[in-house]
Amino acid sequence: MTTHIHTAQEKIEMKVGMSPFTLRHDLAKSPLFTLEAMADLAADLPRDKVDYNRADLPVDVHGLPVPGNGLSPAETVRSIRDNGSWMVLQGIEHAPAYRHLIDELVDEIARLADVAPSSFTHRVGYGFVTSPGGVTPYHLDSEHNFLLQMSGTKRMTILPAEACTTAEDLEISPSKSRYIEYRPAFTPLAQTFDLGPGDMLCVPFNDPHYVENGDQVSISMGITFHDEASLNQRKVQTVNHIMRRMGLPQPKPGVKPRADKAKAAAYTAVNMVVDPVRKNQKARQFVKRHILRGATLTPGTTGPQPT
């Protein structure tokens, strides 16, 4: 049994509504997370799986444009020390070496949480590369989410889920901005974590956060997954946004449990039709380019924003 995670805790808690916590990992020197490995991965991944832009941003970019950097994905990685950018490589689990590692890590988390590894589904991996001083603005991720710092340093500030200004903040849509409004009144709720190589941080489901990079290039890996509760809530968040666009705004998940259950069931039925499109690269790219204008398609795959 492979062990990458180290903790003095006998057991960790994994559930919707949990608090953030830190662990340690032994992957900081892995050849899978060098700049060259990230550049090769950026060149090999489908273009719609690579997202990058300028990183000299404020914490709150809600409603503001986020500029690109004018470079190719591989050029962005290779010149990351000087180009003031961030990049996220999405779906790295499709590369066999990363897939194997992600499964090892999620299985370890399951054992630490004392649950069956099979209960953690929709396992996805992300590679993050950020220039010195780069900022990932205030946003939230609707998955169980762990960040593993490989090189460089960063400071992550996490707030509880109630630090969302409206019910719409929690809703999910391919056409909706990933960023939400940050208000100074939220500051007393914040927890701050300073991360260096070998640190591992749990960012709880739906807890908004922002990231400030240190004075070196940062390379990190994110791993996300769902249990039944988080997946059902994500489905509800997606249906809520669809209903809002129809002129029927909905309360946050949990306010009306029976309605939430019906929404999750409806989403599951519709996704049986949508899922084959998502899995077909040409169809996925057509939908994103001509219908969703670059956004990701289904709740199981949108994933965290660049950290």
Side-chain angles (χ1 to χ4, degrees):
M1 184 182 300
T2 304
T3 300
H4 295 295
I5 300 171
H6 307 283
T7 176
Q9 301 170 241
E10 293 184 4
K11 183 179 178 180
I12 62 175
E13 185 176 50
M14 293 299 305
K15 67 177 184 179
V16 173
M18 65 186 175
S19 298
F21 59 86
T22 58
L23 303 165
R24 292 284 295 172
H25 68 84
D26 66 358
L27 296 166
K29 296 183 179 180
S30 168
L32 293 175
F33 300 102
T34 63
L35 269 182
E36 192 60 35
M38 293 290 98
D40 290 344
L41 195 55
D44 291 343
L45 285 172
R47 179 61 190 84
D48 65 323
K49 291 294 185 182
V50 182
D51 190 12
Y52 59 103
N53 58 239
R54 297 289 302 176
D56 49 350
L57 301 170
V59 166
D60 187 354
V61 296
H62 179 68
L64 300 175
V66 177
N69 66 11
L71 303 173
S72 72
E75 288 171 337
T76 295
V77 175
R78 293 194 170 100
S79 62
I80 197 71
R81 288 183 179 86
D82 304 308
N83 63 31
S85 303
W86 59 242
M87 170 179 283
V88 56
L89 308 176
Q90 305 175 30
I92 65 174
E93 73 279 359
H94 294 296
Y98 295 93
R99 168 84 259 176
H100 180 71
L101 179 58
I102 291 163
D103 279 336
E104 288 182 340
L105 288 164
V106 177
D107 285 352
E108 279 193 72
I109 293 167
R111 290 194 296 270
L112 286 168
D114 197 25
V115 300
S118 60
S119 66
F120 289 163
T121 62
H122 296 77
R123 302 176 177 195
V124 178
Y126 301 83
F128 301 116
V129 186
T130 312
S131 295
V135 171
T136 303
Y138 192 57
H139 67 280
L140 59 83
D141 305 315
S142 295
E143 302 89 8
H144 294 309
N145 181 2
F146 282 83
L147 180 72
L148 289 77
Q149 189 68 15
M150 303 300 180
S151 61
T153 62
K154 58 180 52 173
R155 171 171 290 180
M156 182 177 286
T157 301
I158 303 177
L159 293 94
E162 55 263 31
C164 297
T165 56
T166 67
E168 189 174 5
D169 284 343
L170 293 170
E171 295 170 1
I172 297 170
S173 167
S175 59
K176 179 174 176 286
S177 172
R178 59 184 139 210
Y179 302 116
I180 62 175
E181 181 184 1
Y182 183 86
R183 295 182 179 178
F186 295 155
T187 302
L189 303 174
Q191 295 186 67
T192 299
F193 299 86
D194 289 312
L195 306 176
D199 286 327
M200 180 174 179
L201 174 62
C202 174
V203 184
F205 179 90
N206 274 353
D207 276 13
H209 51 279
Y210 62 90
V211 185
E212 300 162 293
N213 207 43
D215 59 3
Q216 305 169 37
V217 170
S218 168
I219 299 176
S220 309
M221 178 175 70
I223 53 173
T224 70
F225 53 89
H226 282 288
D227 58 15
E228 184 177 8
S230 69
L231 186 58
N232 282 338
Q233 184 163 327
R234 189 179 176 96
K235 293 175 181 178
V236 173
Q237 292 170 221
T238 304
V239 173
N240 280 356
H241 189 76
I242 293 170
M243 296 185 72
R244 179 179 297 277
R245 295 188 66 181
M246 296 169 61
L248 299 168
Q250 301 293 300
K252 294 180 181 181
V255 175
K256 296 183 177 180
R258 288 186 179 180
D260 288 350
K261 186 175 181 180
K263 292 171 185 176
Y267 173 86
T268 299
V270 171
N271 199 51
M272 291 179 67
V273 178
V274 174
D275 199 50
V277 176
R278 177 182 63 82
K279 292 180 178 178
N280 182 291
Q281 181 181 335
K282 289 184 178 179
R284 184 177 71 241
Q285 290 174 335
F286 177 86
V287 169
K288 291 179 179 180
R289 185 176 300 114
H290 299 289
I291 300 175
L292 302 177
R293 286 180 288 185
T296 40
L297 187 59
T298 65
T301 58
T302 53
Q305 302 314 315
T307 52

